[in-house]
Amino acid sequence: APRGATPGTVLVTNLDANTVTAIAPQSHHGSVIHASAPGFNGPLGIAIAPDGATAYVTNSLGDTVVPINLTVSPPRTASPIKVGHGPAAIAITPDGRRAYVTNFDDNTVTPIDLTSTPPRTLPAIAVGAGPWSIAVNARGTELVVADTESTSVSVVRLPSNKVTAVVLAARPQAIALAPDGKTAYVAHGNQISLVSMGAFPCLFYTSVAADHR
């Protein structure tokens, strides 16, 4: 949970309402967070910095990321950070120094330097078509991006930003990394593919998930 909030507090983006809700773990009571002007505009992805002090929300219709100060009550938003077009998901490195935002409409990932005040964007990284989900490994040395408008995932080496495309059988939708960072799990259709994250990333296994109807 974020510092200053009750342990177990959950933060949820409300796309159509242009708000973020903080849900208390015991009472399940939701407190709505409204952004100061220009406000939220299609809030979609959210990530919390490792120190728990700040949450970062992607404005999918505003092409920005909005920081939320979680150390004050009620939480307070800061000036939005300009990114690419159609920002979707966001991931933060374990050391809290960088955030990475997928820009669905630009086919890029925008790095954000969180050590600067205010945070500043760095040159965008070109990836596959329609980048959506994103994950970063525990060492902060690799990103993996689900390119939903293509049949591939993009593996990005950090800090060189070298990109390797791994071809799948269908369009990926969601992605997660194993704790040791050696395997990426990619959901597409009713299948889950496993991608090796070694020196030469490659697809090594695809399973058919159960059809729960």
Side-chain angles (χ1 to χ4, degrees):
R3 184 170 58 195
T6 304
T9 298
V10 175
L11 297 177
V12 180
T13 55
N14 306 305
L15 180 70
D16 294 333
N18 289 325
T19 60
V20 171
T21 300
I23 303 174
Q26 300 299 324
S27 66
H28 297 162
H29 174 73
S31 301
V32 178
I33 301 171
H34 296 273
S36 56
F40 293 121
N41 188 2
L44 185 57
I46 189 168
I48 299 174
D51 65 3
T54 310
Y56 296 88
V57 176
T58 62
N59 264 344
S60 64
L61 302 178
D63 298 342
T64 59
V65 169
V66 177
I68 304 175
N69 183 348
L70 300 171
T71 66
V72 296
S73 183
R76 185 181 307 138
T77 59
S79 299
I81 305 162
K82 187 69 175 177
V83 291
H85 295 302
I90 181 169
I92 299 175
T93 55
D95 62 9
R97 297 177 64 86
R98 294 281 189 273
Y100 293 88
V101 180
T102 57
N103 303 306
F104 183 84
D105 295 331
D106 280 350
N107 303 331
T108 62
V109 171
T110 296
I112 302 174
D113 180 2
L114 300 180
T115 66
S116 65
T117 304
R120 64 185 181 94
T121 57
L122 302 173
I125 305 166
V127 291
W132 190 258
S133 300
I134 188 170
V136 60
N137 69 3
R139 294 183 297 164
T141 58
E142 284 183 321
L143 297 172
V144 60
V145 180
D147 305 319
T148 58
E149 293 298 302
S150 63
T151 55
S152 66
V153 297
S154 295
V155 177
V156 184
R157 304 285 186 185
L158 303 175
S160 68
N161 296 342
K162 179 183 177 182
V163 178
T164 301
V166 178
V167 177
L168 306 174
R171 294 180 178 182
Q173 294 148 353
I175 200 159
L177 277 168
D180 63 8
K182 294 181 179 180
T183 306
Y185 297 84
V186 186
H188 50 93
N190 68 335
Q191 295 181 320
I192 296 176
S193 289
L194 277 61
V195 174
S196 170
M197 298 288 288
F200 303 97
C202 63
L203 174 68
F204 72 90
Y205 182 73
T206 297
S207 66
V208 179
D211 185 5
H212 298 289
R213 289 183 294 180

